[in-house]
């Protein structure tokens, strides 16, 4: 591991100043991904700025009924927060489906948004990887790609975003609040993560000198009728092959509003706008859900190891929507 300096910041402005003075620095939250990447020499910062002491560790109500989640809130605290469990149950579920109890106790909300892909070639310094070394090529395209993307991939990268939490946040139309040397700004959550295009090394809209301070959830009363389902190779401590976050509102078995997002299928949490469009105003039937899934997956493309994900995603979307209605949770 390369040598680096360690500094602990006590307030946001100090953290930003420290970062602006050291262009090859990294913010350290829970360290559950960054430290692994540093040990593997994938990330090699000159300086690490510990931001865990910043006063960003609270979940607070917003005047419109939404919530503001500080970026240093630990995943366990978020999942167990009474207002999150009550108003946004699929967000709580998504967090609890991620990683292990020990990791959730350490990991922060801000860090969760910035975690890197778990593509095995990204971690293998002997492999060709455009994300790690732009222009090197991508060994996953003709290699082991069971976990890789079926939507929005490019000839440069077919990696997936590994987060569960972010799938629910995409469905919720959350907003990411950031601070930098030029002040603060808000980034819509669905724009925060990028598709790979020809620059897979640039994963988010966050500038290198900006710090995530909070994630804001809008009020969404029908999010009480929501569920997160994760399909994976083993029951615990595995990343999603496919996941679905869904919230729905219905009137007499007609869908009046719906939110749907997919995980494990793209370089970013995938908001399923096409499926939502099919479902909004339609009867809550298996046929509607089949059409919605087909619309969302119309452009899906599989590779040798992951083509099964297209059918898996279709079945998971339909299954989640049927369950929401058959359990009576959507009325
Ligand atoms: Fe690298 Fe992306 Fe290819 Fe994986 S899929 S090897 S992360 S370029």
């Amino acid at each position: 591991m390369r040598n680096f300096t360690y500094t602990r910041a006590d307030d946001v402005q100090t953290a930003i100043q420290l970062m602006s003075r050291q262009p090859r620095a990294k913010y350290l939250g829970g360290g559950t991904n960054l430290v692994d990447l540093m040990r593997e020499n994938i990330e090699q910062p000159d300086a690490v700025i510990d931001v865990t002491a910043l006063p960003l560790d609270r979940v607070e109500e917003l005047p419109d009924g939404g919530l503001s989640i500080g970026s240093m809130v630990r995943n366990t605290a978020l999942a167990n927060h009474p207002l999150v469990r009550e108003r946004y149950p699929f967000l709580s579920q998504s967090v609890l489906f991620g990683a292990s109890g020990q990791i959730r106790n350490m990991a922060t909300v801000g860090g969760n948004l910035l975690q890197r892909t778990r593509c095995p070639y990204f971690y293998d310094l002997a492999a060709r990887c455009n994300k790690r070394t732009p222009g090197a090529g991508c060994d996953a395209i003709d290699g082991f790609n069971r976990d890789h993307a079926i939507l929005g991939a490019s000839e440069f990268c077919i990696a997936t975003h590994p987060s569960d939490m972010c799938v629910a946040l995409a469905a919720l139309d959350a907003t990411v609040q950031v601070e930098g040397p030029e002040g603060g700004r808000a980034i819509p959550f669905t724009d925060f993560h990028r598709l790979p295009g020809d620059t897979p090394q640039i994963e988010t809209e966050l500038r290198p000198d900006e710090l995530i301070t909070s994630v804001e959830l809008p009020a969404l009363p029908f999010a009480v009728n929501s569920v997160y389902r994760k399909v994976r190779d083993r029951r615990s401590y595995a990343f999603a092959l496919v996941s679905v976050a869904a919230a729905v509102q219905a009137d007499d078995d007609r869908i009046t509003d719906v939110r749907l997002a997919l995980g494990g299928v793209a370089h970013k949490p995938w908001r399923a706008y096409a499926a939502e469009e099919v479902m909004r105003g339609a009867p809550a039937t298996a046929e509607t859900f089949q059409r919605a899934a087909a619309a969302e997956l119309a452009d899906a493309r599989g590779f040798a190891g992951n083509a099964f994900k297209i059918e898996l995603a279709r079945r998971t979307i339909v299954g989640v929507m049927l369950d929401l209605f058959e359990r009576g949770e959507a009325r």
Side-chain angles (χ1 to χ4, degrees), residues 117 119 121-122 128-131 137-140 148 156-159:
T117 184
C119 171
Y121 302 104
F122 176 65
R128 296 181 307 149
C129 172
N130 284 321
K131 186 182 285 296
C138 171
D139 274 344
H148 289 69
F156 293 86
C157 179
I158 61 170

Side-chain angles (χ1 to χ4, degrees), residues 84-123:
V84 175
R85 291 169 59 117
E86 179 189 320
R87 297 181 188 174
Y88 310 97
F90 68 163
L91 176 57
S92 174
Q93 294 163 15
S94 69
V95 176
L96 294 174
F97 272 118
S100 66
Q102 293 91 337
I103 291 172
R104 292 193 295 270
N105 290 343
M106 287 294 291
T108 62
V109 168
N112 192 296
L113 270 58
L114 296 177
Q115 63 180 301
R116 312 288 308 270
T117 184
R118 295 326 197 264
C119 171
Y121 302 104
F122 176 65
Y123 289 79

